[in-house]
PDB file of all heavy atoms in Angstrom:
ATOM      1  N   LEU B  18       2.080  -6.306 -26.817  1.00  0.00           N
ATOM      2  CA  LEU B  18       1.743  -4.885 -26.972  1.00  0.00           C
ATOM      3  C   LEU B  18       2.257  -4.393 -28.317  1.00  0.00           C
ATOM      4  O   LEU B  18       3.213  -4.921 -28.874  1.00  0.00           O
ATOM      5  CB  LEU B  18       2.391  -4.065 -25.830  1.00  0.00           C
ATOM      6  CG  LEU B  18       2.047  -4.499 -24.417  1.00  0.00           C
ATOM      7  CD1 LEU B  18       2.805  -3.653 -23.421  1.00  0.00           C
ATOM      8  CD2 LEU B  18       0.549  -4.406 -24.186  1.00  0.00           C
ATOM      9  N   ARG B  19       1.607  -3.343 -28.792  1.00  0.00           N
ATOM     10  CA  ARG B  19       2.033  -2.808 -30.083  1.00  0.00           C
ATOM     11  C   ARG B  19       2.972  -1.639 -29.900  1.00  0.00           C
ATOM     12  O   ARG B  19       2.964  -0.981 -28.873  1.00  0.00           O
ATOM     13  CB  ARG B  19       0.791  -2.377 -30.881  1.00  0.00           C
ATOM     14  CG  ARG B  19      -0.033  -3.544 -31.245  1.00  0.00           C
ATOM     15  CD  ARG B  19      -1.228  -3.154 -32.088  1.00  0.00           C
ATOM     16  NE  ARG B  19      -1.975  -4.371 -32.443  1.00  0.00           N
ATOM     17  CZ  ARG B  19      -3.192  -4.351 -32.973  1.00  0.00           C
ATOM     18  NH1 ARG B  19      -3.806  -3.212 -33.192  1.00  0.00           N
ATOM     19  NH2 ARG B  19      -3.789  -5.484 -33.274  1.00  0.00           N
ATOM     20  N   THR B  21       3.995   1.978 -30.564  1.00  0.00           N
ATOM     21  CA  THR B  21       3.342   3.210 -31.013  1.00  0.00           C
ATOM     22  C   THR B  21       4.270   4.389 -30.856  1.00  0.00           C
ATOM     23  O   THR B  21       5.190   4.372 -30.021  1.00  0.00           O
ATOM     24  CB  THR B  21       2.044   3.487 -30.211  1.00  0.00           C
ATOM     25  OG1 THR B  21       2.402   3.812 -28.876  1.00  0.00           O
ATOM     26  CG2 THR B  21       1.142   2.276 -30.229  1.00  0.00           C
ATOM     27  N   GLN B  23       3.498   7.233 -29.625  1.00  0.00           N
ATOM     28  CA  GLN B  23       3.319   7.864 -28.315  1.00  0.00           C
ATOM     29  C   GLN B  23       4.221   7.228 -27.261  1.00  0.00           C
ATOM     30  O   GLN B  23       4.857   7.918 -26.469  1.00  0.00           O
ATOM     31  CB  GLN B  23       1.842   7.751 -27.891  1.00  0.00           C
ATOM     32  CG  GLN B  23       0.897   8.647 -28.666  1.00  0.00           C
ATOM     33  CD  GLN B  23       0.363   7.975 -29.920  1.00  0.00           C
ATOM     34  OE1 GLN B  23       0.986   7.043 -30.439  1.00  0.00           O
ATOM     35  NE2 GLN B  23      -0.785   8.421 -30.400  1.00  0.00           N
ATOM     36  N   THR B  58      -2.703   8.798 -21.810  1.00  0.00           N
ATOM     37  CA  THR B  58      -1.666   7.949 -22.406  1.00  0.00           C
ATOM     38  C   THR B  58      -0.377   7.974 -21.600  1.00  0.00           C
ATOM     39  O   THR B  58       0.312   6.947 -21.461  1.00  0.00           O
ATOM     40  CB  THR B  58      -1.418   8.402 -23.862  1.00  0.00           C
ATOM     41  OG1 THR B  58      -2.631   8.317 -24.577  1.00  0.00           O
ATOM     42  CG2 THR B  58      -0.379   7.505 -24.522  1.00  0.00           C
ATOM     43  N   ARG B  61      -0.952   5.757 -18.635  1.00  0.00           N
ATOM     44  CA  ARG B  61      -0.932   4.360 -19.027  1.00  0.00           C
ATOM     45  C   ARG B  61       0.489   3.905 -19.339  1.00  0.00           C
ATOM     46  O   ARG B  61       0.913   2.824 -18.902  1.00  0.00           O
ATOM     47  CB  ARG B  61      -1.811   4.194 -20.279  1.00  0.00           C
ATOM     48  CG  ARG B  61      -3.298   4.188 -19.961  1.00  0.00           C
ATOM     49  CD  ARG B  61      -4.129   3.805 -21.178  1.00  0.00           C
ATOM     50  NE  ARG B  61      -4.231   4.896 -22.132  1.00  0.00           N
ATOM     51  CZ  ARG B  61      -5.382   5.459 -22.522  1.00  0.00           C
ATOM     52  NH1 ARG B  61      -6.511   5.062 -22.024  1.00  0.00           N
ATOM     53  NH2 ARG B  61      -5.391   6.431 -23.393  1.00  0.00           N
TER      54      ARG B  61
ATOM     55  P    DA D   5     -10.987  -9.214 -33.021  1.00  0.00           P
ATOM     56  OP1  DA D   5     -11.385 -10.628 -33.218  1.00  0.00           O
ATOM     57  OP2  DA D   5     -11.983  -8.187 -32.726  1.00  0.00           O
ATOM     58  O5'  DA D   5      -9.830  -9.153 -31.909  1.00  0.00           O
ATOM     59  C5'  DA D   5      -8.533  -9.571 -32.228  1.00  0.00           C
ATOM     60  C4'  DA D   5      -7.526  -8.477 -31.808  1.00  0.00           C
ATOM     61  O4'  DA D   5      -7.626  -7.360 -32.699  1.00  0.00           O
ATOM     62  C3'  DA D   5      -7.780  -7.956 -30.390  1.00  0.00           C
ATOM     63  O3'  DA D   5      -6.523  -7.872 -29.722  1.00  0.00           O
ATOM     64  C2'  DA D   5      -8.358  -6.561 -30.614  1.00  0.00           C
ATOM     65  C1'  DA D   5      -7.673  -6.154 -31.915  1.00  0.00           C
ATOM     66  N9   DA D   5      -8.419  -5.158 -32.679  1.00  0.00           N
ATOM     67  C8   DA D   5      -9.769  -5.088 -32.913  1.00  0.00           C
ATOM     68  N7   DA D   5     -10.132  -4.085 -33.659  1.00  0.00           N
ATOM     69  C5   DA D   5      -8.944  -3.408 -33.932  1.00  0.00           C
ATOM     70  C6   DA D   5      -8.683  -2.255 -34.683  1.00  0.00           C
ATOM     71  N6   DA D   5      -9.601  -1.502 -35.294  1.00  0.00           N
ATOM     72  N1   DA D   5      -7.394  -1.853 -34.759  1.00  0.00           N
ATOM     73  C2   DA D   5      -6.441  -2.567 -34.136  1.00  0.00           C
ATOM     74  N3   DA D   5      -6.606  -3.708 -33.404  1.00  0.00           N
ATOM     75  C4   DA D   5      -7.879  -4.054 -33.359  1.00  0.00           C
ATOM     76  P    DC D   6      -6.384  -7.517 -28.202  1.00  0.00           P
ATOM     77  OP1  DC D   6      -5.644  -8.608 -27.521  1.00  0.00           O
ATOM     78  OP2  DC D   6      -7.727  -7.105 -27.718  1.00  0.00           O
ATOM     79  O5'  DC D   6      -5.451  -6.249 -28.245  1.00  0.00           O
ATOM     80  C5'  DC D   6      -4.264  -6.290 -29.026  1.00  0.00           C
ATOM     81  C4'  DC D   6      -3.783  -4.853 -29.291  1.00  0.00           C
ATOM     82  O4'  DC D   6      -4.730  -4.174 -30.138  1.00  0.00           O
ATOM     83  C3'  DC D   6      -3.637  -3.996 -28.005  1.00  0.00           C
ATOM     84  O3'  DC D   6      -2.412  -3.302 -28.109  1.00  0.00           O
ATOM     85  C2'  DC D   6      -4.839  -3.058 -28.099  1.00  0.00           C
ATOM     86  C1'  DC D   6      -4.978  -2.880 -29.603  1.00  0.00           C
ATOM     87  N1   DC D   6      -6.321  -2.479 -30.075  1.00  0.00           N
ATOM     88  C2   DC D   6      -6.448  -1.352 -30.930  1.00  0.00           C
ATOM     89  O2   DC D   6      -5.440  -0.747 -31.249  1.00  0.00           O
ATOM     90  N3   DC D   6      -7.692  -0.990 -31.378  1.00  0.00           N
ATOM     91  C4   DC D   6      -8.774  -1.695 -31.006  1.00  0.00           C
ATOM     92  N4   DC D   6      -9.931  -1.284 -31.485  1.00  0.00           N
ATOM     93  C5   DC D   6      -8.650  -2.832 -30.149  1.00  0.00           C
ATOM     94  C6   DC D   6      -7.439  -3.167 -29.703  1.00  0.00           C
ATOM     95  P    DT D   7      -1.801  -2.492 -26.902  1.00  0.00           P
ATOM     96  OP1  DT D   7      -0.419  -2.945 -26.668  1.00  0.00           O
ATOM     97  OP2  DT D   7      -2.758  -2.509 -25.790  1.00  0.00           O
ATOM     98  O5'  DT D   7      -1.702  -1.028 -27.483  1.00  0.00           O
ATOM     99  C5'  DT D   7      -2.695  -0.547 -28.326  1.00  0.00           C
ATOM    100  C4'  DT D   7      -2.423   0.881 -28.729  1.00  0.00           C
ATOM    101  O4'  DT D   7      -3.590   1.320 -29.427  1.00  0.00           O
ATOM    102  C3'  DT D   7      -2.251   1.817 -27.554  1.00  0.00           C
ATOM    103  O3'  DT D   7      -1.348   2.859 -27.947  1.00  0.00           O
ATOM    104  C2'  DT D   7      -3.636   2.321 -27.301  1.00  0.00           C
ATOM    105  C1'  DT D   7      -4.320   2.266 -28.683  1.00  0.00           C
ATOM    106  N1   DT D   7      -5.753   1.830 -28.664  1.00  0.00           N
ATOM    107  C2   DT D   7      -6.673   2.571 -29.361  1.00  0.00           C
ATOM    108  O2   DT D   7      -6.373   3.551 -30.006  1.00  0.00           O
ATOM    109  N3   DT D   7      -7.946   2.101 -29.272  1.00  0.00           N
ATOM    110  C4   DT D   7      -8.387   1.000 -28.587  1.00  0.00           C
ATOM    111  O4   DT D   7      -9.598   0.701 -28.591  1.00  0.00           O
ATOM    112  C5   DT D   7      -7.366   0.277 -27.866  1.00  0.00           C
ATOM    113  C7   DT D   7      -7.768  -0.926 -27.063  1.00  0.00           C
ATOM    114  C6   DT D   7      -6.109   0.722 -27.936  1.00  0.00           C
ATOM    115  P    DT D   8      -0.993   4.029 -26.913  1.00  0.00           P
ATOM    116  OP1  DT D   8       0.384   4.471 -27.224  1.00  0.00           O
ATOM    117  OP2  DT D   8      -1.340   3.604 -25.560  1.00  0.00           O
ATOM    118  O5'  DT D   8      -1.978   5.186 -27.344  1.00  0.00           O
ATOM    119  C5'  DT D   8      -2.011   5.579 -28.709  1.00  0.00           C
ATOM    120  C4'  DT D   8      -3.151   6.543 -28.965  1.00  0.00           C
ATOM    121  O4'  DT D   8      -4.398   5.805 -28.850  1.00  0.00           O
ATOM    122  C3'  DT D   8      -3.233   7.704 -27.964  1.00  0.00           C
ATOM    123  O3'  DT D   8      -3.072   8.912 -28.669  1.00  0.00           O
ATOM    124  C2'  DT D   8      -4.616   7.555 -27.323  1.00  0.00           C
ATOM    125  C1'  DT D   8      -5.354   6.667 -28.280  1.00  0.00           C
ATOM    126  N1   DT D   8      -6.381   5.775 -27.668  1.00  0.00           N
ATOM    127  C2   DT D   8      -7.682   5.884 -28.082  1.00  0.00           C
ATOM    128  O2   DT D   8      -8.081   6.695 -28.886  1.00  0.00           O
ATOM    129  N3   DT D   8      -8.546   4.980 -27.475  1.00  0.00           N
ATOM    130  C4   DT D   8      -8.214   4.007 -26.529  1.00  0.00           C
ATOM    131  O4   DT D   8      -9.066   3.273 -26.077  1.00  0.00           O
ATOM    132  C5   DT D   8      -6.831   3.957 -26.151  1.00  0.00           C
ATOM    133  C7   DT D   8      -6.365   2.944 -25.154  1.00  0.00           C
ATOM    134  C6   DT D   8      -5.982   4.841 -26.737  1.00  0.00           C
ATOM    135  P    DG D   9      -2.614  10.212 -27.915  1.00  0.00           P
ATOM    136  OP1  DG D   9      -1.806  11.011 -28.829  1.00  0.00           O
ATOM    137  OP2  DG D   9      -2.092   9.830 -26.567  1.00  0.00           O
ATOM    138  O5'  DG D   9      -3.999  10.941 -27.709  1.00  0.00           O
ATOM    139  C5'  DG D   9      -4.755  11.273 -28.854  1.00  0.00           C
ATOM    140  C4'  DG D   9      -6.117  11.806 -28.412  1.00  0.00           C
ATOM    141  O4'  DG D   9      -6.898  10.723 -27.885  1.00  0.00           O
ATOM    142  C3'  DG D   9      -6.071  12.850 -27.302  1.00  0.00           C
ATOM    143  O3'  DG D   9      -7.098  13.807 -27.571  1.00  0.00           O
ATOM    144  C2'  DG D   9      -6.401  12.058 -26.040  1.00  0.00           C
ATOM    145  C1'  DG D   9      -7.376  11.020 -26.609  1.00  0.00           C
ATOM    146  N9   DG D   9      -7.485   9.796 -25.856  1.00  0.00           N
ATOM    147  C8   DG D   9      -6.487   9.164 -25.136  1.00  0.00           C
ATOM    148  N7   DG D   9      -6.862   8.016 -24.607  1.00  0.00           N
ATOM    149  C5   DG D   9      -8.180   7.908 -25.001  1.00  0.00           C
ATOM    150  C6   DG D   9      -9.131   6.853 -24.714  1.00  0.00           C
ATOM    151  O6   DG D   9      -8.947   5.831 -24.078  1.00  0.00           O
ATOM    152  N1   DG D   9     -10.362   7.114 -25.309  1.00  0.00           N
ATOM    153  C2   DG D   9     -10.672   8.237 -26.082  1.00  0.00           C
ATOM    154  N2   DG D   9     -11.881   8.316 -26.538  1.00  0.00           N
ATOM    155  N3   DG D   9      -9.783   9.194 -26.317  1.00  0.00           N
ATOM    156  C4   DG D   9      -8.571   8.965 -25.769  1.00  0.00           C
ATOM    157  P    DT D  11     -12.994  17.430 -24.650  1.00  0.00           P
ATOM    158  OP1  DT D  11     -13.920  18.310 -25.363  1.00  0.00           O
ATOM    159  OP2  DT D  11     -11.828  18.002 -23.935  1.00  0.00           O
ATOM    160  O5'  DT D  11     -13.807  16.514 -23.661  1.00  0.00           O
ATOM    161  C5'  DT D  11     -14.692  15.517 -24.201  1.00  0.00           C
ATOM    162  C4'  DT D  11     -15.146  14.626 -23.073  1.00  0.00           C
ATOM    163  O4'  DT D  11     -14.111  13.677 -22.722  1.00  0.00           O
ATOM    164  C3'  DT D  11     -15.483  15.377 -21.776  1.00  0.00           C
ATOM    165  O3'  DT D  11     -16.888  15.317 -21.588  1.00  0.00           O
ATOM    166  C2'  DT D  11     -14.717  14.621 -20.689  1.00  0.00           C
ATOM    167  C1'  DT D  11     -14.267  13.345 -21.373  1.00  0.00           C
ATOM    168  N1   DT D  11     -12.978  12.829 -20.904  1.00  0.00           N
ATOM    169  C2   DT D  11     -12.925  11.546 -20.431  1.00  0.00           C
ATOM    170  O2   DT D  11     -13.902  10.811 -20.396  1.00  0.00           O
ATOM    171  N3   DT D  11     -11.693  11.132 -20.008  1.00  0.00           N
ATOM    172  C4   DT D  11     -10.518  11.871 -20.006  1.00  0.00           C
ATOM    173  O4   DT D  11      -9.477  11.395 -19.600  1.00  0.00           O
ATOM    174  C5   DT D  11     -10.638  13.214 -20.502  1.00  0.00           C
ATOM    175  C7   DT D  11      -9.458  14.075 -20.560  1.00  0.00           C
ATOM    176  C6   DT D  11     -11.860  13.628 -20.920  1.00  0.00           C
TER     177       DT D  11
END
Side-chain angles (χ1 to χ4, degrees):
Chain B
L18 304 176
R19 293 182 179 168
T21 68
Q23 288 88 337
T58 301
R61 283 188 285 240

